[in-house]
Amino acid sequence: ASIEDADAAMAAARHCVNSGALSDVRPAQRTTWLLKAAEAIREITDEAAMVLCLENGKNFETAREEFVEAARYFEYYAGMADKIEGVSVPLGKDYIDFTQYIPMGVSVQIVPWNFPVSICARSLAPALAAGNAVVVKSPEISPLAMTLLFKAIAKAGFPQGSINLLCGKGSEVGSHLVKHADTNQIVFTGSVPTGQRILKDAAERATPSVMELGGKSAAIALADVDLDSLLRSVKVGIFYNAGQVCSAMSRLLVH
């Protein structure tokens, strides 16, 4: 994607926000869209998992689980879409005081290569449930399975401009999205140095940001290592969640 593509996606998202097509409908309608998206994701799971397997390097079952997990994220947040409630504050007779939660607007989300489908769904689904339009930048080295994910989600009938996917370099397209005047929220998963640069740019406009930062799968191999266990543990460290990584590393320390 080019800078012009990024601007077009942001314009579409901003138009969606301003029109109220996503935020002003009854919350139950967003629930319906999210459930339809979950169903559509399940329908492409095997086909799309093969694409993710080939482009990402993980085995088929692990790739398939990403799409299963993505569908479950949409189902989970579908149940929350109509339960975003305000609070009534008692101030005494003749006073009425209440809070009302409103969408942030346009959420820019930058997804990493290692779990592109599930990590995307993890932040995309709740953003849509709350009525935000979303612009996602896929990882440049593993973007293909995400295009299938978005094609499936689009079948759910979300309003035009509510979901947008860009494939481009983080240093160009990602940086442009982060600095964009229409960005109301930034969601990023990746390295600490990149997160630091994003937060510095976000500070210029005081843009609320959600960061998940850290290294990936550091390990130390000892001279007497069992090579089969080494390979199994390295795979676990790359492709599984933190709880499973801790369990594997407790059995073997590798680098």
Side-chain angles (χ1 to χ4, degrees):
S2 65
I3 297 300
E4 290 73 23
D5 293 327
D7 285 338
M10 292 298 292
R14 175 54 58 194
H15 178 74
C16 178
V17 169
N18 291 346
S19 71
L22 185 65
S23 58
D24 290 350
V25 300
R26 290 184 177 275
Q29 177 59 65
R30 291 197 295 274
T31 294
T32 298
W33 287 328
L34 289 160
L35 289 174
K36 286 184 177 179
E39 181 180 356
I41 293 169
R42 283 204 164 87
E43 289 175 354
I44 65 159
T45 291
D46 288 340
E47 171 196 357
M50 182 57 71
V51 174
L52 180 60
C53 176
L54 293 172
E55 73 168 342
N56 187 284
K58 58 185 65 181
N59 64 48
F60 178 77
E61 285 306 315
T62 306
R64 190 178 188 282
E65 181 60 28
E66 276 211 53
F67 283 90
V68 172
E69 190 172 292
R72 284 170 24 210
Y73 277 127
F74 273 82
E75 287 177 338
Y76 179 85
Y77 287 104
M80 297 184 69
D82 58 354
K83 299 171 185 67
I84 303 173
E85 302 167 347
V87 178
S88 176
V89 182
L91 295 179
K93 186 179 179 181
D94 297 329
Y95 288 91
I96 295 177
D97 188 289
F98 65 93
T99 61
Q100 180 182 9
Y101 293 105
I102 62 173
M104 300 188 78
V106 178
S107 177
V108 167
Q109 304 182 1
I110 300 174
V111 179
W113 68 270
N114 59 327
F115 291 94
V117 172
S118 62
I119 286 181
C120 175
R122 183 182 68 181
S123 53
L124 175 60
L128 293 171
N132 299 282
V134 185
V135 177
V136 175
K137 194 202 81 67
S138 63
E140 48 264 49
I141 63 174
S142 56
L144 299 179
M146 285 187 61
T147 65
L148 297 180
L149 174 71
F150 269 69
K151 285 181 179 180
I153 296 170
K155 292 180 181 179
F158 286 102
Q160 187 73 24
S162 56
I163 54 170
N164 306 272
L165 177 66
L166 296 164
C167 176
K169 293 183 178 180
S171 59
E172 297 175 6
V173 173
S175 178
H176 183 70
L177 293 173
V178 165
K179 299 174 184 176
H180 203 284
D182 279 324
T183 298
N184 300 120
Q185 182 200 37
I186 301 166
V187 179
F188 172 75
T189 297
S191 71
V192 173
T194 302
Q196 289 172 325
R197 289 195 295 271
I198 290 174
L199 287 172
K200 287 179 181 178
D201 290 334
E204 291 296 320
R205 295 181 178 274
T207 306
S209 302
V210 178
M211 299 280 119
E212 181 187 13
L213 310 178
K216 193 77 188 85
S217 311
I220 298 172
L222 304 180
D224 60 349
V225 67
D226 180 298
L227 289 179
D228 290 335
S229 295
L230 169 68
L231 292 176
R232 283 197 302 270
S233 295
V234 168
K235 290 179 186 177
V236 168
I238 294 172
F239 290 128
Y240 286 78
N241 64 39
Q244 292 166 311
V245 170
C246 291
S247 175
M249 292 309 177
S250 68
R251 296 190 298 270
L252 176 67
L253 204 59
V254 293
H255 184 50

